[in-house]
């Protein structure tokens, strides 16, 4: 089984405009049309069994609708191969109620994007969300490191992430972009000993962006953290699922390591093997 733990879609009525706008800002080309149907079709072409959508709430008013759509996506996952995490915003007025609702819907986790949500990850609002989500057994996917389409400051640095882990004791964080986009030296220095998982999204030489991890550096990071803590992700539509998958398949990692990264770790995390 191949699982892409990190992808994005947008509502059908705004997908075309949203993809065009974000692509122009970031200077990258989209590899799907931004819709759930487009993502499902591309995933099947790439040979990916499940793709997990990571929705971002840019304001509290979006949260309820996003989580409703996420629930419906998961209900139809056997047909479309799409799953979804839920969403919450740091300004959500009753974060405990929102998180309990997410858990009651059977969603496996939440996505946080400190840059788009306008708060530093070690803000008390995020710490409270992480603490409660961990108690509820929810995984927490975080955009970590620089965002290619947004100016500084970086809102989720390795130092901030380490601070949150040590204060909350969470073991549920999944750090997107190999722990911190373009901050990989700091990731290696400060997060290897922490109880976190990383995803590979928009970090490898499979993308058209300069300065990504080359094979040697990627393998070094996998070996430092352990393949059991790495999850395959693409950040589709901002990277090709097919190219991202093939890139990892052609690295010098052992077969067993590739199997863990490309599917086995996510199978366990999402209970897909039951």
């Amino acid at each position: 089984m191949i699982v892409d733990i990190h992808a994005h879609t947008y509502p059908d009525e705004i997908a075309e405009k949203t993809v065009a706008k974000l692509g122009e800002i970031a200077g990258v080309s989209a590899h799907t049309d931004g819709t759930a149907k487009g993502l499902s079709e591309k995933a099947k072409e790439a040979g990916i069994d499940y793709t997990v959508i990571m929705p971002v709430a840019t304001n509290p008013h979006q949260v309820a609708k996003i989580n409703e759509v996420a629930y419906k996506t998961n209900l139809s996952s056997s047909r479309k191969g799409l799953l979804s995490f839920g969403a919450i915003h740091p300004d959500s007025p009753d974060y405990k109620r929102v998180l309990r609702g997410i858990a009651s819907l059977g969603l496996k986790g939440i996505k946080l994007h400190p840059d788009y949500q306008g708060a530093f990850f070690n803000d008390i609002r995020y710490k409270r969300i992480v603490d409660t989500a961990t108690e509820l057994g929810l995984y927490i996917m975080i955009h970590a490191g620089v965002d290619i389409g947004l100016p500084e400051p970086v809102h989720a640095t390795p130092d901030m992430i380490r601070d949150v882990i040590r204060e909350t004791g969470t073991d549920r964080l999944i750090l997107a972009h190999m722990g911190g986009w373009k901050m990989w030296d700091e990731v290696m220095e400060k997060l290897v000993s922490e109880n976190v998982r990383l995803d590979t999204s928009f970090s490898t030489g499979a993308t058209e962006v300069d300065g990504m991890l080359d094979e040697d550096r990627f393998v070094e990071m996998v070996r430092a953290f352990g393949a059991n803590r790495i999850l395959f992700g693409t950040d589709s539509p901002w990277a090709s699922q097919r190219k991202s998958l093939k890139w990892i398949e052609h690295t010098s990692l052992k077969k067993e390591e590739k199997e863990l990264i490309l599917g086995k770790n996510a199978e366990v995390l999402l209970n897909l093997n039951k």
Side-chain angles (χ1 to χ4, degrees):
M1 183 182 293
I2 307 295
V3 182
D4 179 353
I5 197 72
H6 187 154
H8 299 283
T9 60
Y10 309 97
D12 289 355
E13 62 271 20
I14 63 168
E16 182 178 0
K17 289 183 178 179
T18 301
V19 166
K21 179 180 178 180
L22 293 176
E24 182 179 0
I25 291 170
V28 295
S29 300
H31 293 267
T32 78
D33 63 4
T35 67
K37 179 181 178 182
L39 176 61
S40 178
E41 290 173 351
K42 290 293 185 180
K44 288 178 181 177
E45 289 175 10
I48 293 171
D49 298 286
Y50 286 98
T51 301
V52 186
I53 298 166
M54 292 290 164
V56 178
T58 56
N59 67 67
H61 305 294
Q62 297 172 337
V63 169
K65 179 62 175 179
I66 288 173
N67 292 331
E68 178 186 351
V69 172
Y71 173 68
K72 291 179 179 178
T73 297
N74 292 347
L75 286 181
S76 63
S77 64
S78 60
R79 290 186 292 108
K80 298 179 181 178
L82 299 181
L83 297 166
S84 182
F85 271 27
I88 190 169
H89 191 276
D91 290 329
S92 293
D94 189 348
Y95 70 93
K96 289 186 177 181
R97 178 186 60 80
V98 173
L99 290 168
R100 286 195 297 267
I102 289 169
S104 72
L105 291 174
L107 306 181
K108 299 298 183 182
I110 56 174
K111 170 68 187 289
L112 301 175
H113 199 310
D115 293 296
Y116 278 107
Q117 295 176 328
F120 292 106
F121 187 55
N122 57 351
D123 186 293
I124 185 60
R125 292 169 293 172
Y126 279 132
K127 289 178 178 178
R128 289 170 177 163
I129 288 171
V130 169
D131 194 46
T132 301
T134 301
E135 289 179 4
L136 292 167
L138 297 171
Y139 287 98
I140 306 140
M141 172 73 79
I142 306 157
H143 172 90
V146 179
D147 186 285
I148 191 172
L150 293 174
E152 293 188 349
V154 177
H155 286 79
T157 67
D159 280 324
M160 295 175 195
I161 292 164
R162 185 168 61 179
D163 178 32
V164 172
I165 294 167
R166 294 185 177 180
E167 185 163 332
T168 65
T170 185
D171 61 354
R172 293 269 161 166
L173 298 187
I174 305 170
L175 309 180
H177 317 304
M178 289 301 286
W181 196 66
K182 292 208 172 181
M183 302 185 80
W184 295 304
D185 288 343
E186 285 190 54
V187 171
M188 288 283 280
E189 176 188 350
K190 298 173 180 178
L191 297 178
V192 167
S193 62
E194 303 298 334
N195 195 356
V196 295
R197 296 169 175 84
L198 314 183
D199 85 17
T200 68
S201 63
F202 204 77
S203 298
T204 71
T207 68
E208 300 90 353
V209 177
D210 291 335
M212 295 297 205
L213 294 168
D214 62 21
E215 179 181 344
D216 289 343
R217 185 63 165 154
F218 176 75
V219 170
E220 179 188 7
M221 290 190 72
V222 170
R223 297 267 166 81
F225 279 87
N228 61 308
R229 291 203 283 160
I230 311 295
L231 297 155
F232 173 60
T234 65
D235 211 17
S236 176
W238 310 116
S240 163
Q241 288 183 300
R242 181 188 295 275
K243 288 182 180 178
S244 298
L245 174 59
K246 296 300 181 185
W247 191 89
I248 291 177
E249 287 179 336
H250 287 99
T251 65
S252 61
L253 291 169
K254 297 178 181 177
K255 178 183 178 182
E256 295 79 8
E257 292 171 316
K258 293 175 186 177
E259 289 175 346
L260 286 169
I261 293 167
L262 294 176
K264 286 187 175 180
N265 292 333
E267 281 187 60
V268 174
L269 187 146
L270 301 173
N271 291 322
L272 294 176
N273 51 357
K274 292 186 179 181

